[in-house]
Amino acid sequence: MIVLKAAQEKILAALQSVGGIVERRHTLPILANVLIRKKGPQLEFITSDLEIQIRTTAELDGDDGDYSTTVGAKKLGDILKSLPSDQIVSLTANQNKLTLQGGKSRFTLQTLPAEDFPLVQEAADFGPAFSVPQKTLKMLIGQVHFAMAVHDIRYYLNGILFVAEGQTLTLVATDGHRLALAQATLDVEIPKQEVILPRKTVLELQRLLKDDSKGEEEQVIEMRFAGNQAKFNFGGLEFVTKLVEGKFPDYNRVIPKNHKNHITLGRTTLLASLQRAAILTSEKFKGVRMNFAPGVLGIASSNAEQEEAKEELEIDYGGDSFEIGFNVGYLMDVLANMSQDMVTVSLQDANSSALITNPEFEGFKYVVMPMRI
């Protein structure tokens, strides 16, 4: 049976849209595969890692009739990538193998039975659906994702808090040392939600969401939530994910309200100075000293070999003079993920956390704890 016959770019696009969650090494070998379901000319591609499941449908020519199988997602993707984009490619099923043919190239791949593929058990009681512009959600994720924890024992930090209320959508991420918050006002009222999206889901959404940069009409993502699951539909994809259970920290208590010292300066200038200072920090100890004085910001770093870097920036500042230490990586992360020209740093003293905001985007706040140097 000819399972599909279409241009390489069409098949590869469908496969890549679902392939991001596939793990190379897994306790269940079948989870390295993509489930292919054929119903006449329509094909479904489904991937899963037991926590997330992504499904897409594509019209790809082939024989009439129904058929389903699973095949190695990475191998299939690598083969397709190696072929020209306008190459007509066919996939033919024969017993427990699939043959991929494109031009004079031919590949025979082992398959595993479709019935053994562990589909995610979807919740029966998803709440009401609501839609958000894809570019809005992608922008908010881009402003906070870098502050998520990685493999933290406090599992509720390994993701982002998603809060919807009224016309406001708020995303918050923290690893205990820094916190990023981004907020947007929508055109419509949305049902009240407060859930924690897992880290892998956040990064996959960031990869897949469109930002409408090509001037197309606004694309939306439809969302529905159940007790411990979320379902997203966008761009021909259905995305089901488990949610992280647990109590996220009260982020409002962490954000400083009354810092008296404020410095607004060019984002790229500050980032470049920090990047140079970071060269002479040690791998384990990423500290930089920042010396604030009227008109001048000094940045210094050193390492165990007694090497030292010093930077000096002219700033419009007339507040208190003090020195404060930070993890330079935490400062570079926020500056590299902002797109605006200016950044405002608000401080109280050498022992209080710093608040970084964006004069051009009021919905963004970043809090970073000082470190002793």
Side-chain angles (χ1 to χ4, degrees), residues 59-165:
E59 290 270 345
L60 302 167
D61 292 334
D63 291 344
D64 290 336
D66 298 348
Y67 175 77
S68 57
T69 191
T70 80
V71 66
K74 183 165 189 323
K75 282 181 193 165
L76 182 58
D78 286 348
I79 292 167
L80 286 167
K81 279 185 221 167
S82 72
L83 296 170
S85 60
D86 57 353
Q87 177 87 68
I88 297 298
V89 174
S90 67
L91 264 186
T92 309
N94 187 5
Q95 293 180 322
N96 62 342
K97 289 191 169 66
L98 274 181
T99 301
L100 184 150
Q101 195 151 357
K104 295 190 176 178
S105 304
R106 183 185 175 94
F107 304 85
T108 303
L109 298 169
Q110 191 70 43
T111 62
L112 290 170
E115 53 270 24
D116 293 347
F117 193 84
L119 294 168
V120 169
Q121 187 69 41
E122 290 187 27
D125 54 345
F126 279 102
F130 62 96
S131 295
V132 171
Q134 284 192 45
K135 67 177 178 184
T136 301
L137 185 58
K138 188 180 178 83
M139 180 271 292
L140 293 178
I141 290 174
Q143 300 271 359
V144 303
H145 71 95
F146 55 87
M148 290 187 290
V150 185
H151 303 309
D152 198 295
I153 193 166
R154 298 162 295 180
Y155 53 90
Y156 48 84
L157 299 184
N158 301 315
I160 59 170
L161 180 68
F162 177 103
V163 184
E165 189 165 10

Side-chain angles (χ1 to χ4, degrees), residues 310-324:
K310 286 189 174 179
E311 292 277 330
E312 199 169 274
L313 297 174
E314 289 184 13
I315 55 173
D316 182 11
Y317 176 62
D320 299 341
S321 296
F322 57 88
E323 185 176 87
I324 185 168

Side-chain angles (χ1 to χ4, degrees), residues 3-4 11 15 33-39 42-47 56 60 66-73 76 91 98 109 111-114 117:
V3 181
L4 61 84
I11 307 167
L15 184 64
N33 287 11
V34 56
L35 171 60
I36 302 173
R37 281 179 176 165
K38 176 176 171 59
K39 293 175 184 172
Q42 273 210 334
L43 263 87
E44 277 186 342
F45 292 84
I46 303 170
T47 56
T56 191
L60 302 167
D66 298 348
Y67 175 77
S68 57
T69 191
T70 80
V71 66
L76 182 58
L91 264 186
L98 274 181
L109 298 169
T111 62
L112 290 170
F117 193 84

Side-chain angles (χ1 to χ4, degrees), residues 21 52 54 137-149 156-162 171-173 195-209 221 230 232 234 239-244 248:
I21 62 167
I52 306 169
I54 308 181
L137 185 58
K138 188 180 178 83
M139 180 271 292
L140 293 178
I141 290 174
Q143 300 271 359
V144 303
H145 71 95
F146 55 87
M148 290 187 290
Y156 48 84
L157 299 184
N158 301 315
I160 59 170
L161 180 68
F162 177 103
L171 268 56
V172 188
V195 300
I196 304 172
L197 298 175
R199 177 184 177 82
K200 190 172 177 181
T201 296
V202 172
L203 297 177
E204 197 59 20
L205 284 173
Q206 188 182 27
R207 181 179 81 87
L208 293 169
L209 288 167
I221 174 169
F232 307 117
F234 61 100
F239 190 118
V240 179
T241 176
K242 277 189 180 175
L243 298 171
V244 179
F248 201 83

